[in-house]
Amino acid sequence: MTTREILTIQLGHYSNYIGTHWWNLQESNFTYDPKHPSEINHDVLYREGENTQKQVTFTPRLLLVDLKGALGYLSEQGSLYNTADDPDNHLLWDDTKLEITSAELSPRTPFIESLNKSNETVETGSFNFENDVKSWVDYTLPLFHPRTVTVIKKYLHNCTQQSFNIFTYGRDLWTTEQFSDDFSDRIRLYVEECDLMQGFQVLMDSTDGFAGLGASCIQHLRDEFGKSILTFPCLDFNNAEPSASDLIKIVNTALCWQHIGEYSSLYSPLSCGQVGWPFGADSRKFQNITYSPELKYHSSAILATALDTLTLRYRTKRYPNASLSDLCADLNKLGRKATATSLNLPFPMKVKMDLIDILDEFEGPLWTSLTPSCDISMDNNMQSIVLRGISEDRIKRPIHEANKQISKPAYKCSSVHEMMTFYLACTCHASATYLSNIEAPLKLSLPYPKIFNNNVTENGNIAEWPIGADVNSVAVMAGMHSGNSIAAMYESLLKQTKRIKSIKKFHAFTDSGLEEDEFTECVHSLADCKEAYEDNYI
């Protein structure tokens, strides 16, 4: 089977939180049983290699960027290839005449320490991730290829004196020869390893300097490779009191969306906040989940779960010809490149109930939006939906046990895919839906947060009484939607952006090269996008 590879790029601290959970989920869902092979083609996002000891390695096809001081104990070269211990790695100078200045490494969390003690039994209840996790490296499972991690040494993480908080700072960084040449080479090396590359997935923070860096990177990808680019600009939930810095974040976000809308094939903003701006607002609610949205460790896990599921469309073995370009072509009709992301976690498969009954009695929206200032309607959408974790024997009762089920029109459906397609056709008025599904549920293991309510069973079913068990797997539904509801997202951002009468009041932007005309053009671009989604879409 030919693999159509994808390179993933993560730019920014919160994006790396999300990405870390995403890679952790993939590693937790690897299947090594030859009698029950995985339905997922992991080679799409992973690469096979060989380390210096001639051992076969399987690492994410990934490039990630963060600021100095954000990596804690993690080496920029990773630990998989042990380049520091390579006997062929000789210094070209006299090390006795060097003055070495070193900073003390950040301590490893108990969970990270436990990964190195494979022979010892570790009590899972002994980890307190909510208090221990200070950075995404504190719960990272995969080992990285030496070219994966890039550290921006000019800016220090959580530094207030010289913050990397302006769009143009990131854009200027890309133009520096030191960064641009090195990062471009890393991209090129990954691309040249691929046999039939289908494109790029980009996660990027959209409220700080990584917005500008990401916009420049995406422009480079489009100009150099001409492949499909799926971008997820990410906004961390923030319920702090409004401040002057909120307007800076709004300008960064507006500029970000303008540029990625121009250069990406498709993009979908991600946040656990109901409203992205101003930044003090309520979080998204899920019926069977209780989480702390202000904890990056929690909110990023929810966003990563959506990403891992919705991207199955072009990562499954069942649909080997399904590609990232197909997804983009389905949803970016007439140049409308923005989409909303949805999630249903866990998909409410009730104990001892069949899918036909669950869908028949379902009330309310089928999904929760993970796109800020956008509540996704059930109607008038172009949408790509993925459902995982419902086995074929859960759709209906056999005919001799069917009772009332046999009178329902959906009883004639003979598969999960057929029944779900029928349900969506009946409930989503004037919508065009591409549905993908796999039977395997999403397996959950540490360090995924324990956010499920106590009525969720071990295998993710919903009970009417407290269970109190650790949830090991769940059914999940996630999707991407393009429709009229996107207009509200643009309108909300446009309203906040128009509060800024002149960009000249923000000296950090003008001093770093942002012209008044460029900002005015950005505002006009947002207005044009809003109007495009207000039309009769279908």
Side-chain angles (χ1 to χ4, degrees), residues 437-452:
N437 74 288
I438 65 172
E439 192 166 339
L442 178 67
K443 297 177 184 176
L444 302 176
S445 59
L446 291 178
Y448 195 89
K450 298 182 183 301
I451 55 177
F452 295 97

Side-chain angles (χ1 to χ4, degrees), residues 116-135:
N116 299 323
K117 301 174 181 177
S118 56
N119 295 327
E120 298 181 20
T121 302
V122 180
E123 291 291 333
T124 58
S126 62
F127 304 124
N128 187 347
F129 290 100
E130 284 73 15
N131 289 329
D132 291 343
V133 171
K134 309 300 181 187
S135 175

Side-chain angles (χ1 to χ4, degrees), residues 349-352 394 455-463 473:
M349 292 296 293
K350 296 183 180 179
V351 173
K352 297 181 180 179
R394 289 291 302 273
N455 65 319
V456 182
T457 67
E458 184 179 359
N459 61 357
N461 287 341
I462 309 302
S473 64

Side-chain angles (χ1 to χ4, degrees), residues 3-9 22-23 43-46 61-63 187 190-192 194-202 218 221-222 225-231 264-266 314-315 322-326 328:
T3 296
R4 306 189 68 183
E5 303 96 340
I6 289 175
L7 172 60
T8 304
I9 299 176
W22 189 4
W23 298 109
D43 292 333
V44 173
L45 299 184
Y46 278 72
R61 189 177 294 105
L62 168 68
L63 292 172
I187 295 172
Y190 269 127
V191 172
E192 289 176 350
C194 298
D195 295 324
L196 190 62
M197 187 177 193
Q198 57 176 309
F200 304 89
Q201 298 171 153
V202 182
I218 291 168
L221 297 177
R222 190 199 66 174
F225 304 104
K227 302 287 187 180
S228 297
I229 306 170
L230 176 58
T231 306
S264 297
S265 306
L266 194 71
Y314 49 84
R315 296 196 291 123
S323 66
L324 178 57
S325 60
D326 294 336
C328 296

